Structure formats: structure tokens, C-alpha cells
Amino acid sequence: MPPTPRTSRTLTDEDLAAFKTRLCDVAEAMFAAAGADNVSMRQIAAALGVSPMTPYRYFANREAILAEVRIRGFERFAALLEAAYAATSGDAAAKAAAMGREYVDFALANANTYRLMFGEHSQEDSDESPLGRAVARARATLSVYGDGLIRAGMAEAEARAMEGLIWSTLHGAVTLELAGTTPPGSAHETLRLLGRFALRG
Amino acid sequence: MPPTPRTSRTLTDEDLAAFKTRLCDVAEAMFAAAGADNVSMRQIAAALGVSPMTPYRYFANREAILAEVRIRGFERFAALLEAAYAATSGDAAAKAAAMGREYVDFALANANTYRLMFGEHSQEDSDESPLGRAVARARATLSVYGDGLIRAGMAEAEARAMEGLIWSTLHGAVTLELAGTTPPGSAHETLRLLGRFALRG
DNA sequence: CCAAGTTGTTTACACCGTAAATTTACACTG
DNA sequence: CAGTGTAAATTTACGGTGTAAACAACTTGG
């Protein structure tokens, strides 16, 4: 069978971006359904209706696709947290509680995406990298909590450290549940407990 | 090249167990060095000086080896926590603090083993399964903390839930650091903070 | 001594990520 | 308009994976 390229010669920057976006959309859905490890390059290409090697013209390799999807995941995540913050009326504690709920709900409802986001991605998240910036954006939503502590008289450094503790607890709760180490519902239970005595107004 | 089997006919139960142990020792070391995903069956077999298919006579498949190594990891982990408990003189808070330190140290010093232990292992940890029992043993060491709370007047159910919260925080802190999402040292910092206001005697 | 069964080996298959060669179709020259 | 260079997509090919199946070497029960 002869090759059947139907190109329009040297593709535009937006054509290029469009393909990348389309590929990421498809890959993201497949990853979410089966876990990133169980989706091959060939499967992604087939789902796009394109030959197995075509994606390599747009991404250096498989890892580059994972990196891109990770970034998109963090951005979606951050947007949800920000929305939860904006949609909640009340004091900082109420907003923080809503964000905590959103955090756990997102992780449990998008297990494979969350696993991909927080899996071992070799290179560290320098604030310069796109991934680092996406992570920073998600992390920044946590500052609502620290801000409340500062208003209550806590030193800034300490308040920021407390944010790290809250984050650790949320992350630990959902990953333990996602791994099957703790039974279903544990994460929400932990969240409830955390809110009870870490968010007393 | 002709096959060169030098067997001694129908191997004893302890011969069988010995091979499994030897294989797990080797596999564990290779996993620790390179990460489980980067170690193939063929590599393990080669390291054992045996042909690629021989391990399959002792383990159903690769996943069965991972499961076994996971169990051994949890047992080693539990033993360390128990040792930290036994070696610490003082009240429950001091013992709990020592165990928390041991927890974080183990995870950071055995990153790949820890990742394997708490990675997605498909089947849940029923208390009937060997893995479930190994997990339960590690988890049981946490009860020291809950016991202290109960002595301080907290209801039992609540105290056990608090153990889950502590576990989540420790697990979250180390996995965030192992993933590179938080900078080195963060887990110890979180541990310090946790101990400060969760362990006030 | 022979048939059966246990052990380890070799071989084989379908899949993977991706490097390299190949084909196609456009955008240019003349 | 013919010819050519080249970007885009394809096919092919290579070394790797997990593991099923066939096979060879041996021990043992009859």
C-alpha cells in the first residue's frame, strides 16, 4: 500500500499547535481510561487516525507527551481549585475547606490523571519550566490557608510551612486511597478530620 | 548449543523457597538501584545465572514477583518501625516521634522500594492476603500514637482516625518529595511541624 | 529397562519505543 | 509549464519486552 500524505506543505504554527492539542486531548482520555503505562504510542497514533511515527514529528518522544499532559492536568486542577475558592462565600476557613474538598474530589475522580501528575517525572520542577509554573499555580491556591494563619498572628514562614503540611496530608490521603492501601472513603474521612481541627476559625 | 539442565529431580519445598528467596533478594536490589520499571525479567534471570524462562517455574508472572517484593518491603519497614519504638525510652509521644523519623528516613533512603510498596497494585489489600497482613503490621505500629490519644481522653474511633491522618501526612510528605514536587528536605520539615503540634504531651 | 513426569532450556510470537529509509505532494525556480 | 528541492507522512527495521509452547535432559515408579 502506498503512502498517502495529504499535506499542505510546511504547516503553520497554529496547525502544529492544533495537532499537539488534539493529540493531548486523545492521549489524556486514553490515559484516564487505562492508565498511562497501558497506552502505547501506536495506540495513540491509531486513535488519531495517523501512522505510528507521525506523533514523533510533534513530540520528541513519549516522555514529552507525558510531560505535556501533566502540565495540562495541573492547569485543569489549578483552575478547579481557583473556581472553588471564588465560588465560596465566607471567611478564609470556609474557602480553604471548599478547596480541600475540591482537591480530594478531583484526585479520586481523575485517578489516573492525578497519578500521572504526581508520578516520578525525573526532572525536578524548576520554577522556570512550564511544569514548574503549572505546579506553582496549583500550589498558590493553597496560600489562602496560610494567609488566614498570618492574619491570626502566625509568622509568615511558619504559615507557609503549614501549607506544606496541609498539602502533604491531602496528597497522602488520596494517594493511599488510590493505591488501595486504605479503604474507599478514607480520604474524605481524613479531610473531614483535618478540617475539624486545622481550620478552626 | 544444547540445553544443559543439571537438576536433581523434583525439588524440595525448601529448595523451592530458597530459589524464591534468592530471586527476591536479587530483584529487590535491582529494583532499588534502577526502579522496578527499568528491570526486566531477562535481567533478573541473567543476574541469577539462569535462563530467561526459569523464574516462571517459581512465579506465575512478573506481577507475582513484584507482589512478593512488596510484601518483603512492608515487613522490613514494619520491623524498622517496631525497632524504633522499642529503642526509644520515654512516653508515647517520644516513641511516636521516633517512629515518624524512622518512617521518613526509610522512605527517602529506599525511594524505589517505597514507591513499589505504595504503587498501584491493582488488587486491594484484603486483610486475608499476605500483602494485607504485611500492611496491617506496619500500620499497627501507628497505634502507639492513637493509644496516647485515648489515654488523654479521646474516643477510640476518633483516635484511630487520627492515626490515619498522621499516616496520610507522612506518606504525602515523602511521596511529594520523592516525586520532585517539593524540594529536598521538605518531608523532614513537615515531620518536624507535625510533631510540634500533634504530639504535644 | 522402560514410560512418565519434572526441570530447565530454547524457540517463537506479539507487542513496545523509535531510528532510518522511503514515498508523496507541495513550493519553488527556470 | 517542467524540474527540483524539501517538508510531511509513511513504511520498514532493530533491539527490547513479557511469556506461551515445544523440546531436551534428567530422575524416578513400575
Coordinates of all heavy atoms in Angstrom, one line a residue, chain D residues 6-27:
Chain D
dT6 P 17.0 21.7 -0.4 OP1 17.7 22.9 0.1 OP2 17.8 20.4 -0.5 O5' 15.7 21.4 0.4 C5' 14.6 22.3 0.2 C4' 13.3 21.7 0.8 O4' 12.6 20.8 -0.1 C3' 13.6 20.9 2.1 O3' 12.6 21.2 3.0 C2' 13.5 19.4 1.6 C1' 12.3 19.7 0.6 N1 12.0 18.6 -0.4 C2 10.7 18.3 -0.7 O2 9.8 18.8 -0.3 N3 10.6 17.2 -1.6 C4 11.7 16.5 -2.2 O4 11.4 15.6 -3.0 C5 13.0 16.9 -1.8 C7 14.2 16.2 -2.4 C6 13.1 17.9 -0.9
dA7 P 13.0 21.3 4.6 OP1 13.7 22.6 4.8 OP2 13.7 20.0 4.9 O5' 11.6 21.3 5.3 C5' 10.5 22.1 4.8 C4' 9.2 21.4 4.9 O4' 9.1 20.4 3.8 C3' 8.9 20.7 6.2 O3' 7.6 20.9 6.5 C2' 9.2 19.2 5.9 C1' 8.8 19.1 4.4 N9 9.6 18.1 3.6 C8 10.9 17.9 3.6 N7 11.3 17.0 2.8 C5 10.1 16.5 2.2 C6 9.8 15.5 1.3 N6 10.8 14.8 0.7 N1 8.5 15.3 0.9 C2 7.6 16.1 1.5 N3 7.7 17.0 2.4 C4 9.0 17.2 2.7
dA8 P 7.0 20.3 7.9 OP1 6.0 21.3 8.3 OP2 8.1 19.9 8.7 O5' 6.2 19.0 7.4 C5' 5.1 19.2 6.5 C4' 4.4 17.8 6.2 O4' 5.3 17.0 5.4 C3' 4.1 17.0 7.4 O3' 2.8 16.6 7.3 C2' 5.1 15.8 7.4 C1' 5.5 15.7 5.9 N9 6.8 15.3 5.7 C8 8.0 15.8 6.3 N7 9.1 15.3 5.9 C5 8.7 14.4 4.9 C6 9.4 13.6 4.0 N6 10.7 13.5 4.0 N1 8.7 12.8 3.1 C2 7.4 12.9 3.1 N3 6.6 13.7 3.9 C4 7.3 14.4 4.7
dA9 P 2.1 15.8 8.6 OP1 0.7 16.2 8.6 OP2 2.9 16.0 9.8 O5' 2.2 14.3 8.2 C5' 1.4 13.8 7.1 C4' 1.9 12.5 6.6 O4' 3.3 12.6 6.3 C3' 1.8 11.4 7.7 O3' 0.8 10.5 7.3 C2' 3.2 10.6 7.5 C1' 3.9 11.4 6.4 N9 5.3 11.5 6.6 C8 5.9 12.3 7.6 N7 7.3 12.3 7.6 C5 7.5 11.4 6.5 C6 8.7 10.9 6.0 N6 9.9 11.3 6.4 N1 8.6 10.0 4.9 C2 7.4 9.7 4.5 N3 6.2 10.1 4.9 C4 6.3 10.9 5.9
dT10 P 0.6 9.1 8.1 OP1 -0.8 8.7 7.9 OP2 1.1 9.3 9.5 O5' 1.5 8.1 7.3 C5' 1.3 8.0 5.9 C4' 2.4 7.1 5.4 O4' 3.6 7.7 5.6 C3' 2.5 5.7 6.0 O3' 1.9 4.7 5.1 C2' 3.9 5.5 6.3 C1' 4.6 6.7 5.7 N1 5.7 7.2 6.6 C2 7.0 7.0 6.3 O2 7.3 6.3 5.3 N3 7.9 7.5 7.2 C4 7.6 8.3 8.3 O4 8.5 8.7 9.0 C5 6.2 8.5 8.5 C7 5.8 9.3 9.7 C6 5.4 8.0 7.7
dT11 P 1.7 3.3 5.7 OP1 0.8 2.6 4.8 OP2 1.5 3.3 7.2 O5' 3.2 2.6 5.5 C5' 3.7 2.4 4.2 C4' 5.1 1.9 4.2 O4' 5.9 2.8 5.0 C3' 5.3 0.5 4.8 O3' 5.9 -0.3 3.9 C2' 6.1 0.8 6.1 C1' 6.8 2.1 5.8 N1 7.1 2.9 6.9 C2 8.4 3.2 7.2 O2 9.4 2.8 6.6 N3 8.6 4.0 8.3 C4 7.6 4.6 9.2 O4 7.9 5.3 10.1 C5 6.3 4.2 8.8 C7 5.1 4.7 9.6 C6 6.1 3.4 7.7
dT12 P 6.2 -1.9 4.2 OP1 6.2 -2.6 2.9 OP2 5.2 -2.3 5.3 O5' 7.6 -1.9 4.8 C5' 8.7 -1.2 4.2 C4' 9.9 -1.2 5.1 O4' 9.8 -0.2 6.1 C3' 10.3 -2.5 5.8 O3' 11.6 -2.8 5.4 C2' 10.1 -2.1 7.3 C1' 10.4 -0.6 7.3 N1 9.9 0.1 8.4 C2 10.7 0.8 9.2 O2 11.9 0.9 9.0 N3 10.2 1.5 10.3 C4 8.8 1.5 10.6 O4 8.4 2.1 11.6 C5 8.0 0.7 9.7 C7 6.5 0.7 10.0 C6 8.5 0.1 8.7
dA13 P 12.2 -4.2 6.0 OP1 13.2 -4.6 5.0 OP2 11.1 -5.1 6.4 O5' 13.0 -3.7 7.2 C5' 13.9 -2.6 7.1 C4' 14.6 -2.4 8.4 O4' 13.7 -1.6 9.3 C3' 14.9 -3.7 9.2 O3' 16.3 -3.6 9.7 C2' 13.9 -3.7 10.3 C1' 13.7 -2.3 10.6 N9 12.3 -2.0 11.1 C8 11.1 -2.5 10.7 N7 10.1 -2.1 11.4 C5 10.6 -1.2 12.3 C6 10.1 -0.4 13.3 N6 8.8 -0.3 13.6 N1 10.9 0.4 14.0 C2 12.2 0.4 13.7 N3 12.9 -0.3 12.8 C4 12.0 -1.1 12.1
dC14 P 16.9 -4.9 10.4 OP1 18.2 -5.2 9.9 OP2 15.9 -6.0 10.5 O5' 17.1 -4.3 11.9 C5' 17.7 -3.0 12.1 C4' 17.8 -2.8 13.5 O4' 16.5 -2.2 14.0 C3' 18.1 -4.0 14.4 O3' 19.0 -3.7 15.4 C2' 16.7 -4.4 15.0 C1' 16.1 -3.0 15.1 N1 14.6 -3.0 15.1 C2 13.9 -2.2 16.0 O2 14.5 -1.4 16.7 N3 12.5 -2.2 16.0 C4 11.9 -3.0 15.2 N4 10.6 -3.0 15.2 C5 12.6 -3.9 14.3 C6 13.9 -3.9 14.3
dG15 P 19.9 -4.9 16.0 OP1 21.3 -4.6 15.7 OP2 19.3 -6.2 15.5 O5' 19.6 -4.8 17.5 C5' 19.8 -3.5 18.2 C4' 18.8 -3.4 19.3 O4' 17.4 -3.4 18.8 C3' 18.9 -4.6 20.3 O3' 19.0 -4.1 21.6 C2' 17.6 -5.4 20.1 C1' 16.6 -4.2 19.7 N9 15.5 -4.7 19.0 C8 15.4 -5.6 18.0 N7 14.1 -5.8 17.6 C5 13.4 -5.0 18.3 C6 12.0 -4.7 18.4 O6 11.1 -5.3 17.7 N1 11.6 -3.8 19.3 C2 12.5 -3.1 20.1 N2 12.0 -2.2 20.9 N3 13.8 -3.3 20.1 C4 14.2 -4.2 19.2
dG16 P 19.2 -5.0 22.9 OP1 20.1 -4.3 23.8 OP2 19.7 -6.3 22.4 O5' 17.8 -5.2 23.5 C5' 17.4 -4.4 24.6 C4' 15.9 -4.3 24.7 O4' 15.3 -4.4 23.4 C3' 15.2 -5.4 25.4 O3' 15.3 -5.2 26.8 C2' 13.8 -5.3 24.9 C1' 13.9 -4.7 23.6 N9 13.5 -5.6 22.5 C8 14.4 -6.3 21.6 N7 13.7 -7.0 20.7 C5 12.4 -6.7 21.0 C6 11.2 -7.2 20.4 O6 11.1 -8.0 19.4 N1 10.1 -6.7 20.9 C2 10.0 -5.8 22.0 N2 8.9 -5.4 22.5 N3 11.1 -5.4 22.6 C4 12.3 -5.9 22.1
dT17 P 15.0 -6.4 27.8 OP1 15.4 -6.0 29.1 OP2 15.5 -7.6 27.2 O5' 13.4 -6.5 27.8 C5' 12.6 -5.4 28.2 C4' 11.2 -5.7 28.0 O4' 10.9 -5.8 26.6 C3' 10.7 -7.0 28.6 O3' 10.4 -6.7 30.0 C2' 9.5 -7.3 27.8 C1' 9.8 -6.7 26.4 N1 10.1 -7.6 25.3 C2 9.1 -8.2 24.7 O2 8.0 -8.1 24.9 N3 9.6 -9.1 23.6 C4 10.9 -9.3 23.3 O4 11.2 -10.1 22.4 C5 11.9 -8.6 24.1 C7 13.3 -8.8 23.7 C6 11.5 -7.8 25.0
dG18 P 10.2 -8.0 31.0 OP1 10.1 -7.4 32.3 OP2 11.3 -9.0 30.7 O5' 8.8 -8.6 30.5 C5' 7.6 -7.9 30.8 C4' 6.4 -8.7 30.4 O4' 6.6 -9.1 29.0 C3' 6.3 -10.1 31.1 O3' 4.9 -10.4 31.3 C2' 7.0 -11.0 30.1 C1' 6.6 -10.5 28.8 N9 7.6 -10.8 27.8 C8 9.0 -10.7 27.9 N7 9.6 -11.1 26.8 C5 8.6 -11.5 26.0 C6 8.7 -12.1 24.7 O6 9.8 -12.3 24.0 N1 7.5 -12.4 24.2 C2 6.3 -12.2 24.8 N2 5.2 -12.6 24.2 N3 6.2 -11.7 26.0 C4 7.4 -11.4 26.6
dT19 P 4.5 -11.6 32.2 OP1 3.2 -11.5 32.6 OP2 5.6 -11.9 33.2 O5' 4.5 -12.8 31.1 C5' 3.5 -12.9 30.2 C4' 3.8 -14.0 29.2 O4' 5.0 -13.8 28.5 C3' 3.9 -15.4 29.8 O3' 3.2 -16.3 29.0 C2' 5.4 -15.7 29.6 C1' 5.6 -15.0 28.2 N1 7.0 -14.9 27.8 C2 7.2 -15.2 26.5 O2 6.4 -15.6 25.7 N3 8.6 -15.1 26.1 C4 9.6 -14.6 26.9 O4 10.7 -14.6 26.5 C5 9.2 -14.3 28.3 C7 10.2 -13.8 29.2 C6 7.9 -14.4 28.6
dA20 P 1.9 -17.1 29.6 OP1 0.9 -16.1 29.9 OP2 2.4 -17.9 30.7 O5' 1.4 -18.0 28.4 C5' 1.0 -17.4 27.2 C4' 1.3 -18.3 26.0 O4' 2.7 -18.1 25.6 C3' 1.1 -19.8 26.3 O3' 0.5 -20.3 25.1 C2' 2.5 -20.2 26.5 C1' 3.3 -19.3 25.6 N9 4.7 -19.1 26.0 C8 5.2 -18.6 27.2 N7 6.5 -18.5 27.3 C5 6.9 -18.9 26.1 C6 8.2 -19.0 25.5 N6 9.3 -18.7 26.2 N1 8.3 -19.5 24.2 C2 7.2 -19.8 23.6 N3 5.9 -19.7 24.0 C4 5.9 -19.3 25.3
dA21 P 0.1 -21.9 25.1 OP1 -1.2 -21.9 24.3 OP2 0.1 -22.4 26.4 O5' 1.2 -22.6 24.2 C5' 1.8 -21.9 23.1 C4' 2.9 -22.7 22.5 O4' 4.2 -22.4 23.0 C3' 2.7 -24.2 22.7 O3' 3.1 -24.9 21.5 C2' 3.7 -24.5 23.9 C1' 4.8 -23.6 23.5 N9 5.6 -23.1 24.7 C8 5.2 -22.8 25.9 N7 6.2 -22.5 26.8 C5 7.3 -22.5 26.0 C6 8.7 -22.2 26.3 N6 9.1 -21.8 27.5 N1 9.6 -22.4 25.2 C2 9.1 -22.8 24.1 N3 7.9 -23.1 23.7 C4 7.0 -22.9 24.7
dA22 P 2.9 -26.5 21.4 OP1 2.1 -26.7 20.2 OP2 2.5 -27.1 22.7 O5' 4.4 -27.0 21.1 C5' 5.1 -26.3 20.1 C4' 6.6 -26.6 20.2 O4' 7.2 -26.0 21.4 C3' 6.9 -28.1 20.2 O3' 8.0 -28.4 19.4 C2' 7.2 -28.3 21.7 C1' 7.9 -27.0 22.1 N9 7.9 -26.7 23.5 C8 6.8 -26.7 24.3 N7 7.1 -26.3 25.6 C5 8.4 -26.0 25.5 C6 9.3 -25.6 26.5 N6 9.0 -25.4 27.8 N1 10.6 -25.5 26.2 C2 11.0 -25.7 24.9 N3 10.2 -26.1 23.9 C4 8.9 -26.3 24.3
dC23 P 8.5 -29.9 19.2 OP1 9.0 -30.0 17.8 OP2 7.5 -30.8 19.8 O5' 9.8 -29.9 20.2 C5' 10.7 -28.9 20.1 C4' 11.9 -29.1 21.1 O4' 11.5 -28.6 22.4 C3' 12.3 -30.6 21.3 O3' 13.7 -30.7 21.2 C2' 11.8 -30.9 22.7 C1' 11.9 -29.5 23.4 N1 11.1 -29.3 24.6 C2 11.7 -28.8 25.8 O2 12.9 -28.6 25.8 N3 10.9 -28.7 26.9 C4 9.6 -29.0 26.8 N4 8.9 -28.8 27.9 C5 9.0 -29.5 25.6 C6 9.7 -29.6 24.6
dA24 P 14.4 -32.1 21.0 OP1 15.1 -32.1 19.7 OP2 13.4 -33.1 21.3 O5' 15.5 -32.1 22.2 C5' 16.3 -30.9 22.4 C4' 16.9 -31.0 23.8 O4' 15.9 -30.7 24.8 C3' 17.6 -32.3 24.1 O3' 18.7 -32.0 24.9 C2' 16.5 -33.0 25.0 C1' 15.9 -31.8 25.7 N9 14.5 -32.0 26.1 C8 13.5 -32.4 25.3 N7 12.3 -32.5 25.9 C5 12.6 -32.0 27.2 C6 11.8 -31.7 28.3 N6 10.4 -32.0 28.3 N1 12.3 -31.2 29.4 C2 13.7 -31.0 29.4 N3 14.5 -31.1 28.4 C4 13.9 -31.6 27.3
dA25 P 19.9 -33.1 25.0 OP1 21.2 -32.5 24.7 OP2 19.4 -34.3 24.3 O5' 19.8 -33.4 26.6 C5' 20.3 -32.4 27.5 C4' 19.8 -32.8 28.9 O4' 18.3 -32.8 28.9 C3' 20.3 -34.1 29.4 O3' 20.9 -33.9 30.7 C2' 19.0 -34.9 29.6 C1' 17.9 -33.8 29.8 N9 16.6 -34.2 29.4 C8 16.1 -34.7 28.3 N7 14.8 -34.9 28.2 C5 14.4 -34.5 29.4 C6 13.1 -34.4 30.0 N6 12.0 -34.8 29.4 N1 13.0 -33.9 31.3 C2 14.1 -33.5 31.9 N3 15.4 -33.5 31.4 C4 15.5 -34.0 30.2
dC26 P 22.0 -35.0 31.2 OP1 23.1 -34.2 31.8 OP2 22.2 -36.0 30.2 O5' 21.2 -35.6 32.4 C5' 20.8 -34.8 33.5 C4' 19.5 -35.2 34.1 O4' 18.5 -35.4 33.1 C3' 19.5 -36.6 34.8 O3' 19.9 -36.4 36.1 C2' 18.0 -37.0 34.7 C1' 17.4 -36.0 33.7 N1 16.4 -36.5 32.7 C2 15.1 -36.5 33.0 O2 14.7 -36.1 34.1 N3 14.2 -37.0 32.1 C4 14.7 -37.5 30.9 N4 13.8 -37.9 30.0 C5 16.1 -37.5 30.6 C6 16.9 -37.0 31.5
dT27 P 20.0 -37.7 37.0 OP1 21.0 -37.4 38.1 OP2 20.3 -38.9 36.2 O5' 18.6 -37.9 37.7 C5' 18.0 -36.8 38.3 C4' 16.6 -37.2 38.9 O4' 15.7 -37.5 37.8 C3' 16.7 -38.5 39.7 O3' 15.8 -38.3 40.9 C2' 16.1 -39.6 38.8 C1' 15.1 -38.8 37.9 N1 15.0 -39.3 36.5 C2 13.7 -39.5 36.0 O2 12.7 -39.3 36.6 N3 13.7 -40.0 34.7 C4 14.8 -40.2 33.9 O4 14.7 -40.6 32.8 C5 16.1 -40.0 34.5 C7 17.3 -40.3 33.7 C6 16.1 -39.6 35.8

